[in-house]
Amino acid sequence: MKKIQMVDLGGQYEGIKEQVNSAIATIMETSAFINGPEVRSFQAELEEYLGVKHVIPCANGTDALQIAMMGLGLQPGDEVITADFTFAATVEVIALLQLIPVLVDVEPDSFNIDIAAVEKAITPKTKAIVPVHLFGQCANMDAIMELAEKHNLFVIEDNAQAIGADYTFDDGRKQKAGTIGHVGATSFFPSKNLGAYGDGGAIFTNDDELAHTLRGIVNHGMYERYHHDVVGVNSRLDSIQAAVLRAKLPKLDGYCDSRRAAARSYNEAFKGQPHIITPKTIKCDIATNDDSNCHVFHQYTLRITNGKRDALVKHLADNDIPCGVYYPIPLHKQKAYVDERYNETDFPVTNQLIKEVISLPMHTELDSEQIDFITKTVLEFVNG
């Protein structure tokens, strides 16, 4: 059995090696390192894939979120509601822009932002909601867009973990994750489902005026060289990363299929286990519908309910199986974001999840032998 990895980027590279190497060699020969043809081609191809009017590439996913908020004209003191159970980048940019982060609890089954908690948190100062499509599955966008319309709020989708996923509206329409709100942001960090070989990110919108503003912001506020029309930043996707992403984009749906196949194998192995809660898909059933794309499994995350999660982490490490605990400390308890406004009784689900969640290896190169070894190792410990 080959070595088990949390993410096998080397194995994935073998399938695109010739195209990647050729594209990088061309870039080296032409020296078109910034805003070159590869970036423009990737932008157009991603727009077509997502069915969105505008993709604005940038340097990383955190910048994408920050630039989206800048483009919407959010001002210091404005409140922005987002999930407590996620990576810090989502709240980090809110604080950096001197906006007021308002953290709310999540749902126990999808791990995504709790709609009732969002509605309860809305005040006259609220200007935006940032749903995080955690672990590869969309938040309840029907309800979020309804709340946004009712209260005249912006919706900024944090799509760093769910690119390629479909969201099915209550009326049956389907739309790609990240293209539903007023603006979406994603990351191309190497471990993402669509990952570069360095940092990268992008912003999505169907709003022509907003797209124009965003294109200026990413390039020092310039639309014409040395003419700075808006306050901007330096955040551009470089050509080499665009070339890697162009090689991967046509394979993204296949990558997602591989991840779902691995998730089905995991689910089958853990079925009926009293101390293991497997990931729940909310808008489809991946166990029976091969065509469903509502979850792209950036992470495959279990809940271990017998109080032995940390011991399981050690047991897996002792057997050379990597795993992850995303996230061990909720944002409302992080030193940088502690606020007297928060009450522990407002976060019962998050406070429980941080004791139970564990993410198993999940990537496009997992094989049946590896999955069998991983699941048997988990089960022998949980049932031991």
Side-chain angles (χ1 to χ4, degrees):
M1 183 179 69
K2 63 181 180 180
K3 181 180 179 182
I4 298 173
Q5 301 182 62
M6 198 67 181
V7 180
D8 185 4
L9 295 178
Q12 188 184 71
Y13 169 63
E14 291 301 316
I16 55 174
K17 187 174 185 177
E18 184 176 337
Q19 184 179 350
V20 168
N21 290 356
S22 175
I24 291 175
T26 299
I27 293 166
M28 300 304 293
E29 291 167 2
T30 62
S31 300
F33 299 119
I34 300 293
N35 287 338
E38 290 287 341
V39 177
R40 293 192 292 273
S41 295
F42 172 66
Q43 173 188 315
E45 289 160 7
L46 187 56
E47 286 169 347
E48 182 178 1
Y49 174 82
L50 293 172
V52 70
K53 289 178 69 175
H54 303 285
V55 166
I56 299 92
C58 62
N60 57 70
T62 307
D63 279 4
L65 283 168
Q66 178 176 325
I67 292 162
M69 294 180 193
M70 292 172 67
L72 291 171
L74 301 183
Q75 297 296 312
D78 289 346
E79 293 179 356
V80 179
I81 299 171
T82 194
D84 187 41
F85 186 65
T86 187
F87 184 61
T90 310
V91 70
E92 179 178 68
V93 296
I94 299 171
L96 281 170
L97 293 173
Q98 298 183 14
L99 310 171
I100 299 175
V102 179
L103 299 170
V104 299
D105 210 2
V106 297
E107 300 171 338
D109 48 6
S110 72
F111 307 125
N112 280 321
I113 197 164
D114 182 275
I115 303 304
V118 172
E119 187 164 25
K120 182 180 177 182
I122 294 172
T123 75
K125 293 184 178 180
T126 306
K127 293 295 185 289
I129 306 169
V130 184
V132 181
H133 302 323
L134 201 69
F135 299 151
Q137 179 170 218
C138 285
N140 185 343
M141 292 304 293
D142 282 280
I144 289 169
M145 297 308 293
E146 183 178 337
L147 277 178
E149 184 174 357
K150 178 181 177 181
H151 296 279
N152 194 27
L153 306 176
F154 293 118
V155 175
I156 305 161
E157 292 178 77
D158 185 336
N159 197 43
Q161 299 187 18
I163 193 163
D166 290 332
Y167 180 79
T168 303
F169 289 90
D170 292 341
D171 62 10
R173 291 179 298 119
K174 287 190 176 183
Q175 201 166 331
K176 286 294 184 186
T179 70
I180 302 165
H182 298 88
V183 63
T186 201
S187 166
F188 300 127
F189 187 77
S191 64
K192 302 301 185 187
N193 291 31
L194 179 62
Y197 291 161
D199 275 317
I203 312 154
F204 318 137
T205 187
N206 286 303
D207 185 320
D208 296 340
E209 185 176 345
L210 176 58
H212 176 73
T213 301
L214 296 171
R215 292 192 195 284
I217 292 173
V218 300
N219 191 30
H220 297 289
M222 293 188 295
Y223 301 99
E224 180 182 351
R225 192 166 179 79
Y226 300 126
H227 292 256
H228 304 272
D229 295 347
V230 296
V231 175
V233 297
N234 177 21
S235 184
R236 296 169 298 209
L237 181 69
D238 74 69
S239 296
I240 289 176
Q241 304 311 328
V244 172
L245 293 165
R246 287 192 71 201
K248 289 187 175 186
L249 181 57
K251 297 179 177 293
L252 177 57
D253 288 344
Y255 291 161
C256 294
D257 289 341
S258 296
R259 288 172 176 269
R260 277 189 294 275
R264 290 187 191 97
S265 296
Y266 278 140
N267 282 354
E268 183 64 26
F270 298 134
K271 186 165 57 178
Q273 293 294 318
H275 302 302
I276 299 177
I277 300 176
T278 55
K280 298 296 189 296
T281 48
I282 306 305
K283 287 280 188 173
C284 68
D285 182 2
I286 63 148
T288 58
N289 183 0
D290 288 350
D291 294 329
S292 64
N293 198 34
C294 68
H295 202 318
V296 294
F297 289 97
H298 175 61
Q299 301 293 348
Y300 180 87
T301 303
L302 300 173
R303 293 178 60 185
I304 305 299
T305 60
N306 62 357
K308 296 183 179 181
R309 191 274 311 276
D310 292 345
L312 175 58
V313 170
K314 182 179 185 306
H315 179 71
L316 292 174
D318 290 343
N319 285 274
D320 296 319
I321 299 173
C323 65
V325 174
Y326 311 112
Y327 299 92
I329 306 172
L331 293 176
H332 79 272
K333 290 185 177 179
Q334 296 284 357
K335 185 177 179 180
Y337 306 112
V338 167
D339 195 297
E340 61 184 11
R341 292 175 294 126
Y342 300 134
N343 190 317
E344 287 305 312
T345 59
D346 293 330
F347 304 100
V349 176
T350 296
N351 287 338
Q352 188 64 30
L353 291 178
I354 63 171
K355 304 172 187 175
E356 297 178 348
V357 293
I358 181 171
S359 297
L360 300 181
M362 174 53 72
H363 53 81
T364 59
E365 312 305 309
L366 275 175
D367 60 39
S368 56
E369 184 180 18
Q370 291 176 313
I371 292 173
D372 185 57
F373 180 69
I374 293 166
T375 55
K376 285 182 177 178
T377 305
V378 171
L379 291 170
E380 73 181 13
F381 177 83
V382 172
N383 295 327

